[in-house]
Amino acid sequence: MSKQYDKSLFSLVQENDRLKDKPLQTKQLTYFQDAMLRFTKNKYNVIASIILLIMILMSIFVPILTPSRFYETTNSELSTLPPRVPLLENLGILDGSKLYENQPVDPTTIDPETGLGYPTLGFEEQYIDFSTLENQIVVGTDKSPLFVGGTVELYVNTSRTSAAVISSEIVSLFAGDYVKINLESMPAVGVLEVYLSPVNLTSSLAGWDDEKLLLLGTVNQSGETSLPQVDGLENGFLVLRYVLDAPSSSGRDKIVFDEVTLVSGNTGESTKVFTGYNLSIFTFFILDTVNENGRYLRNGAEMVIASFRYDEYEALFSDKPRTIGTSEYNQILADNPGMAETITVDPNNPDAWTFDEGYPISAVTDVDRIIIAGREYVNYKVALNGRYSLGFEETPYFIFGTDVFGKDLFVLIWLGLRTSLLLGFLATLFNIIIGIIWGATSAYYGGQVDMLMERFTDIWGSFPSITMIGIITVLIGPGFLALFIFVVYDGWIGAAKVTRFQFYRYKGSEYVLAARTLGSSDGRIIFKHILPNALGTIVTRVVLAIPSVIFLEVNLSFLGFGIGNGQTLTLGPIELTGTSIGVILNDGQQQIFAGNLWLVIFPALIVAILMITFNMFGNALRDALNPQLRGSE
Amino acid sequence: MINYIAQRLVWIVVILFTTLTITFVLLKLAPEFPPTKNDERDTWLTRQYNDGYYTLEIYSRSNPADMLRVEEIRLEDGVNATVFIVNPVNDSTVFKVFRRVPIFEQYLTWLENVVTEWNWGTSSKVRVNAAAFSLISDRFPLTIRLNLLTLLFYIPFGFLFGILAALNKDTWVDNLMQVVIILFISLPALVFVLLLQIVLGYQLEWLPPLFPIIELESAAKVASGYIIPVIAAGLPAIAGLTRLLRAELSEVLTSEFLQLAKTKGLTYQQAVVRHAIRNSMVPMIPIIIGSFAGLLSGSFILEQVYSIPGVGRVTLQALAAGNYDYNVLMVSSAFYGVIGLVAVLVVDLSYGIIDPRIRMGARK
């Protein structure tokens, strides 16, 4: 400002020219209006964003609107009910029936016409869908009563000379009775000795020549052999002993039993048959542990198994026989006015009566009267409605089924999602703030500062995450706080890296140079000039990071490092439960073997949809905020 | 450049050292979890004593004064956390009392043991009294094999689909791929492996539903056990690579040098193969290197769900609640630390080599 110029030397260039520019007719758009336009251009992304919004709203409102007994209390009777959806159930899918496979059939139920049988243990006939019933025969070696037939093999082990087994029950032989042995095969070496032992304790016998043992006979050929008749009444345990002349060299010598029968001498009828299962449960009877040992195996036994669909809801919620006391009975009558008037007594049995439909009790089948100390106590045997006893007005629709604890999976999933989302947003907010400050400082100053700060993040970030998880778990134990630390301890590094890269990109720009030339402070250049330019990239990057935070939470909870089933956390008005998608998936994975696949499939689908919509939303946001980045990353 | 590499290598050592130091100190702040059985506990603690992490006091069973002292120790602070009393083992007639030495002293001893003897201590829980280092190094080949297979599986497909998508940009091929890509990128590996396990393992029974036990099953069965984890880890990786390559290649396809190549008289195919694809592949290299490290350290879930006895599974076993196995944890921390750091270095270096315009660490 040292030199002064005369103002008259200067004149305005366009002072006398006529301006031909037209004023702008179109409305000017701000940056965000422009972004909004670009955002709504892609219909798929808009749909995805709407679905995402619906999911977020569901996660907030579903748990609020559902009575807490559906997701807080454990009810073992409602455990693992399959999904049942209105309308869809009429099409035969998701109708509340569950496919059971490999269920052992009760042999008494086998229909002679179709040859099909069904299990009775734990299943009721009327709820089995007989159009889906299929039977299959499996051959097994299990010593189980569900397997029938087959043979039993008695081996002598290598370098031993004999092996013996003893029956678990006492048998009686009257005078003239005899034992018939039916062998499938008998090796050339050795002999089968059949004894009757008064005791089944090896310690009370001196040896095989002990006089307490009664040798009934010996067998050395395959096929049917009748042993000599006994002289008088003999009681004892039946002992089958395979004796070799010399120690077995291969250990593969075996007697294959078909049947051992006790036959009455008078009538010629068999009084007791040992075959299949009851023969296979004979136990080892070793008197000399040095020379005796063997193997006793069952072979070729058959079991019929059935697969069928079973209507779980009907089975659970229809009438069930129960015994209730007088007070409970009277209470039910009092709770349902008009019920007592509908009683129709069975003309043949004064102790049985029925009610009209629509009441908790449909019929009383019997009345027990007990008189104790002059007072009469009455127990009613009733057909009690399953809905009533479980506290439902109508048969409920659990559209995603229930989990092992009898909780409604649908509510649990939204409950878990709420936890995951909240954690995701909180952690992301934390990450973005720390990340921007760190990255901006590091990149702007560059050189030594950058080197130091980068090395710090290197050290910090090179903490293997599993080690960090370990340290936190060991020091403060699993829980919300631990989970939050896992998610943010290195989560901000990502945001810092993006910020740093963006700053490197812009800090050499002419406008930054200009700003510095004009004397702007570092803080002003960082926050006023560079950050707004870089913000679009940083924000979209961070939004895209939310799903990965949620995903990390799911993984950690799945591995058991996060929140557990029992925990709760209160954040102001919001109370979070310990349920998270990861916990649900972990519980569900243990149910895969039992065939309760919906416990994995539904939460997995919800997580997948959440991730997909979140990613599409993030991409749409990126395209809208930074059109030049469209299609990359 | 050499200067930069040397600097980085020194830093790797420094970082690893710092990380392990912090891990060691923090883990040792928590109570110790020696083996539960008395004789195993005796062996383990004696080993720790020989390595210099514990002090040993011996009290005779026949001496009443000694027994009184043992009873006093039982009531002390830190019993079963840093002080352990071992009852007489077998024919021995002495009670042994082990006390943990201060953390700093332990740390120096540990450093000496590792540097001079490569002695990382013995496992206390995962496989009692086995050398911790061998526990990890035994599992290492399986984990590496699994990840190499995943790499071999995903790179060709990723390149193929990426090139196809870029060459057919904005046609139905590209649109379909976009849908599939977003699906696979979004599907978490956890969900993916669970679904594969249910469908291929339990329902169709084509593949083993859990990883076969290597010692018991035939080679073919074991080989079939790799399929589900490789697919589960590979498909998201394919989707990621496809997306990146599509973006890169479609940018190159519109660049000036490609037009120049065509102007020179090359056919479209020649131009695409010689110039466009080659150029677009270069930036993929750091990404692939980085993804290998990512796959390696992200295989916990796969190994856990599919019960693969790899490094990740052992680490998780060492972290089972209330059964922490610190020596094994230290080795696996070192393992994952080295992998992560080397990968970062290689990625950084490859950036510079491939694109000289980027100079990491330049001054402002």
Side-chain angles (χ1 to χ4, degrees):
Chain A
M1 284 298 163
S2 56
K3 203 163 182 182
Q4 297 291 319
Y5 292 99
D6 186 3
K7 272 189 182 172
S8 64
L9 289 172
F10 300 95
S11 70
L12 290 163
V13 179
Q14 292 177 327
E15 194 176 29
N16 301 318
D17 293 359
R18 197 159 60 88
L19 281 173
K20 287 174 185 163
D21 289 4
K22 284 184 182 153
L24 284 172
Q25 295 293 315
T26 49
K27 227 175 102 187
Q28 269 190 315
L29 290 176
T30 63
Y31 176 66
F32 283 103
Q33 282 170 323
D34 196 30
M36 196 60 202
L37 265 184
R38 281 192 294 264
F39 186 81
T40 50
K41 223 173 209 166
N42 189 331
K43 290 285 170 292
Y44 298 111
N45 288 341
V46 174
I47 293 171
S49 310
I50 291 172
I51 295 176
L52 180 64
L53 187 70
I54 292 174
M55 289 182 84
I56 294 174
L57 290 178
M58 292 273 270
S59 72
I60 297 170
F61 288 107
V62 169
I64 294 177
L65 297 176
T66 317
S68 65
R69 71 179 177 114
F70 287 108
Y71 58 89
E72 274 186 356
T73 45
T74 303
N75 190 337
S76 59
E77 283 193 75
L78 294 175
S79 170
T80 61
L81 280 176
R84 178 165 178 257
V85 183
L87 300 177
L88 281 182
E89 62 175 341
N90 300 329
L91 302 173
I93 45 170
L94 303 181
D95 58 355
S97 68
K98 188 147 106 186
L99 180 68
Y100 282 92
E101 284 179 320
N102 304 338
Q103 299 294 325
V105 163
D106 182 347
T108 58
T109 63
I110 293 178
D111 185 336
E113 271 181 41
T114 56
L116 290 175
Y118 52 85
T120 48
L121 193 73
F123 297 98
E124 283 175 64
E125 187 193 341
Q126 66 258 46
Y127 307 119
I128 294 175
D129 183 350
F130 279 93
S131 62
T132 59
L133 182 65
E134 279 173 19
N135 279 9
Q136 238 185 326
I137 292 172
V138 287
V139 178
T141 56
D142 285 23
K143 292 181 179 178
S144 144
L146 294 166
F147 282 86
V148 292
T151 55
V152 182
E153 298 165 353
L154 179 61
Y155 289 80
V156 176
N157 278 355
T158 318
S159 72
R160 309 293 172 114
T161 50
S162 78
V165 289
I166 186 166
S167 69
S168 54
E169 55 187 308
I170 293 181
V171 296
S172 302
L173 290 173
F174 298 96
D177 288 3
Y178 58 94
V179 174
K180 200 165 72 182
I181 306 278
N182 195 346
L183 298 183
E184 178 98 13
S185 77
M186 174 80 206
V189 290
V191 64
L192 171 69
E193 294 177 350
V194 183
Y195 293 91
L196 209 56
S197 165
V199 287
N200 58 359
L201 280 174
T202 50
S203 55
S204 57
L205 292 172
W208 288 103
D209 47 6
D210 192 292
E211 59 188 15
K212 279 185 258 175
L213 280 171
L214 174 69
L215 181 64
L216 294 172
T218 58
V219 184
N220 55 10
Q221 62 188 32
S222 61
E224 207 172 281
T225 311
S226 294
L227 301 181
Q229 298 180 334
V230 294
D231 303 332
L233 174 64
E234 299 286 353
N235 287 323
F237 299 92
L238 199 61
V239 178
L240 304 168
R241 183 183 182 219
Y242 180 27
V243 194
L244 294 171
D245 307 332
S248 171
S249 54
S250 63
R252 292 207 197 96
D253 300 312
K254 60 170 176 182
I255 299 181
V256 183
F257 291 92
D258 249 352
E259 212 171 73
V260 175
T261 326
L262 309 187
V263 188
S264 160
N266 295 332
T267 59
E269 284 171 10
S270 38
T271 54
K272 176 89 197 169
V273 182
F274 288 104
T275 183
Y277 170 67
N278 67 356
L279 184 61
S280 73
I281 55 168
F282 277 37
T283 49
F284 273 105
F285 195 61
I286 307 290
L287 296 188
D288 172 4
T289 49
V290 179
N291 294 316
E292 296 175 20
N293 209 345
R295 305 186 296 286
Y296 191 57
L297 307 172
R298 197 176 181 188
N299 212 343
E302 289 181 349
M303 177 170 71
V304 184
I305 53 168
S307 72
F308 52 89
R309 297 201 76 86
Y310 189 69
D311 194 336
E312 294 276 342
Y313 281 74
E314 276 298 308
L316 185 62
F317 292 110
S318 57
D319 294 347
K320 277 198 199 124
R322 283 281 164 82
T323 305
I324 56 174
T326 317
S327 56
E328 200 182 339
Y329 178 79
N330 290 337
Q331 184 64 43
I332 292 173
L333 286 191
D335 287 347
N336 294 279
M339 186 173 166
E341 283 80 58
T342 67
I343 291 177
T344 323
V345 180
D346 187 343
N348 303 320
N349 183 359
D351 274 354
W353 56 85
T354 56
F355 296 94
D356 278 2
E357 275 187 26
Y359 293 112
I361 300 172
S362 61
V364 175
T365 52
D366 199 7
V367 181
D368 277 348
R369 294 189 175 81
I370 309 161
I371 297 172
I372 299 171
R375 271 194 65 188
E376 189 186 49
Y377 295 88
V378 184
N379 278 330
Y380 296 89
K381 287 188 178 159
V382 298
L384 189 66
N385 194 300
R387 285 187 288 278
Y388 173 79
S389 56
L390 288 168
F392 289 95
E393 301 259 319
E394 297 282 324
T395 306
Y397 285 98
F398 292 116
I399 61 172
F400 282 4
T402 59
D403 73 352
V404 222
F405 307 105
K407 297 174 183 176
D408 187 351
L409 189 65
F410 183 75
V411 188
L412 278 188
I413 284 177
W414 298 116
L415 212 59
L417 209 58
R418 186 175 72 176
T419 312
S420 306
L421 282 171
L422 195 77
L423 194 79
F425 286 127
L426 281 181
T428 308
L429 193 72
F430 184 87
N431 287 342
I432 194 173
I433 293 172
I434 304 287
I436 284 181
I437 295 173
W438 189 273
T441 318
S442 163
Y444 181 76
Y445 292 103
Q448 216 57 39
V449 175
D450 182 42
M451 186 74 179
L452 280 177
M453 289 177 88
E454 268 297 280
R455 292 303 79 84
F456 180 81
T457 49
D458 274 354
I459 296 176
W460 194 256
S462 69
F463 244 98
S465 51
I466 197 78
T467 313
M468 197 62 175
I469 288 167
I471 292 172
I472 295 168
T473 312
V474 168
L475 289 181
I476 63 177
F480 276 100
L481 181 63
L483 203 57
F484 189 77
I485 298 177
F486 300 152
V487 176
V488 298
Y489 91 90
D490 67 350
W492 58 270
I493 292 177
K497 285 238 152 83
V498 183
T499 314
R500 176 170 172 266
F501 196 77
Q502 290 299 316
F503 268 66
Y504 260 116
R505 198 170 130 190
Y506 290 114
K507 77 169 187 183
S509 314
E510 287 78 4
Y511 67 84
V512 175
L513 189 67
R516 189 173 296 130
T517 317
L518 289 171
S520 298
S521 69
D522 286 348
R524 191 180 165 81
I525 293 174
I526 290 176
F527 291 107
K528 202 83 186 174
H529 294 282
I530 304 182
L531 194 59
N533 275 302
L535 200 60
T537 322
I538 297 166
V539 165
T540 47
R541 175 64 185 257
V542 167
V543 169
L544 281 169
I546 295 179
S548 61
V549 170
I550 295 175
F551 182 40
L552 182 63
E553 187 273 328
V554 169
N555 278 342
L556 289 173
S557 300
F558 180 85
L559 293 176
F561 294 118
I563 25 193
N565 262 322
Q567 298 189 354
T568 53
L569 174 77
T570 317
L571 281 178
I574 317 162
E575 185 168 277
L576 296 175
T577 64
T579 309
S580 103
I581 300 277
V583 176
I584 297 173
L585 277 173
N586 194 4
D587 289 346
Q589 202 211 355
Q590 291 155 16
Q591 291 293 312
I592 293 181
F593 255 126
N596 302 329
L597 301 182
W598 67 88
L599 289 175
V600 173
I601 291 175
F602 284 114
L605 282 181
I606 294 291
V607 172
I609 293 173
L610 180 77
M611 294 294 158
I612 291 171
T613 50
F614 233 125
N615 278 330
M616 287 178 78
F617 169 73
N619 288 345
L621 201 64
R622 181 197 56 211
D623 290 351
L625 293 179
N626 323 286
Q628 74 274 21
L629 280 182
R630 188 191 297 274
S632 69
E633 292 201 12
Chain B
M1 195 64 192
I2 292 166
N3 216 352
Y4 181 64
I5 297 174
Q7 232 175 10
R8 290 297 299 261
L9 282 175
V10 171
W11 265 104
I12 283 188
V13 176
V14 171
I15 290 173
L16 202 65
F17 175 76
T18 321
T19 319
L20 288 180
T21 305
I22 295 172
T23 312
F24 188 91
V25 171
L26 287 179
L27 286 182
K28 292 292 173 182
L29 283 176
E32 188 88 71
F33 291 89
T36 350
K37 281 191 202 152
N38 194 49
D39 51 339
E40 286 174 352
R41 175 177 287 210
D42 181 52
T43 318
W44 191 80
L45 284 170
T46 311
R47 199 74 157 271
Q48 293 284 92
Y49 162 70
N50 291 338
D51 285 348
Y53 307 121
Y54 277 83
T55 59
L56 173 63
E57 299 158 28
I58 290 177
Y59 295 98
S60 167
R61 181 189 245 169
S62 48
N63 184 344
D66 274 9
M67 291 309 296
L68 215 61
R69 178 76 191 112
V70 169
E71 287 311 309
E72 276 173 28
I73 295 171
R74 271 191 214 285
L75 300 173
E76 269 178 24
D77 287 343
V79 168
N80 291 331
T82 54
V83 180
F84 296 94
I85 304 169
V86 173
N87 297 332
V89 176
N90 298 333
D91 303 332
S92 143
T93 56
V94 290
F95 281 86
K96 296 180 186 170
V97 174
F98 293 90
R99 286 170 197 277
R100 205 152 73 166
V101 299
I103 292 177
F104 184 67
E105 230 171 282
Q106 275 189 73
Y107 173 67
L108 292 182
T109 323
W110 176 79
L111 210 60
E112 196 191 323
N113 285 340
V114 169
V115 174
T116 57
E117 300 168 36
W118 199 245
N119 174 3
W120 291 80
T122 51
S123 160
S124 63
K125 290 284 176 188
V126 178
R127 201 195 297 154
V128 178
N129 288 324
F133 186 78
S134 71
L135 212 57
I136 296 289
S137 64
D138 285 353
R139 313 298 181 100
F140 179 65
L142 183 64
T143 303
I144 285 287
R145 204 176 308 142
L146 192 72
N147 286 288
L148 280 179
L149 281 174
T150 310
L151 209 63
L152 286 181
F153 169 69
Y154 100 80
I155 291 175
F157 282 105
F159 277 133
L160 181 70
F161 293 141
I163 292 169
L164 274 182
L167 293 183
N168 298 300
K169 205 177 175 201
D170 296 326
T171 64
W172 66 270
V173 180
D174 182 40
N175 290 335
L176 182 74
M177 275 188 186
Q178 290 296 304
V179 174
V180 177
I181 284 171
I182 195 110
L183 197 77
F184 282 126
I185 286 187
S186 310
L187 217 63
L190 167 65
V191 168
F192 210 68
V193 70
L194 281 173
L195 292 181
L196 283 176
Q197 208 184 358
I198 289 176
V199 175
L200 296 180
Y202 289 106
Q203 298 280 300
L204 299 173
E205 293 176 10
W206 290 349
L207 294 170
L210 289 176
F211 196 77
I213 299 163
I214 295 173
E215 292 81 11
L216 295 182
E217 302 284 355
S218 63
K221 188 87 188 281
V222 173
S224 70
Y226 285 105
I227 298 177
I228 286 182
V230 165
I231 294 178
L235 284 184
I238 288 179
L241 188 60
T242 304
R243 187 160 78 159
L244 285 171
L245 192 63
R246 174 187 173 275
E248 192 65 38
L249 186 56
S250 46
E251 200 183 303
V252 173
L253 281 175
T254 55
S255 61
E256 286 92 356
F257 69 81
L258 204 72
Q259 278 181 336
L260 177 70
K262 279 191 262 181
T263 323
K264 279 196 310 188
L266 270 69
T267 63
Y268 177 70
Q269 273 174 343
Q270 283 173 325
V272 166
V273 174
R274 285 192 196 164
H275 294 274
I277 292 182
R278 274 193 195 174
N279 266 299
S280 66
M281 280 194 184
V282 174
M284 297 296 122
I285 292 165
I287 288 159
I288 289 170
I289 298 170
S291 83
F292 184 65
L295 283 175
L296 257 185
S297 47
S299 56
F300 289 98
I301 290 284
L302 278 180
E303 292 186 3
Q304 180 73 4
V305 175
Y306 206 58
S307 29
I308 304 167
V311 179
R313 194 130 185 277
V314 174
T315 312
L316 288 179
Q317 278 171 0
L319 266 176
N323 282 313
Y324 307 120
D325 191 331
Y326 299 132
N327 290 336
V328 173
L329 275 184
M330 288 306 297
V331 184
S332 71
S333 298
F335 169 73
Y336 285 109
V338 168
I339 284 186
L341 286 169
V342 172
V344 169
L345 174 67
V346 175
V347 168
D348 269 8
L349 291 181
S350 59
Y351 271 129
I353 293 166
I354 289 155
D355 192 346
R357 285 168 296 182
I358 299 175
R359 287 181 61 198
M360 301 307 273
R363 279 156 205 283
K364 74 171 173 181

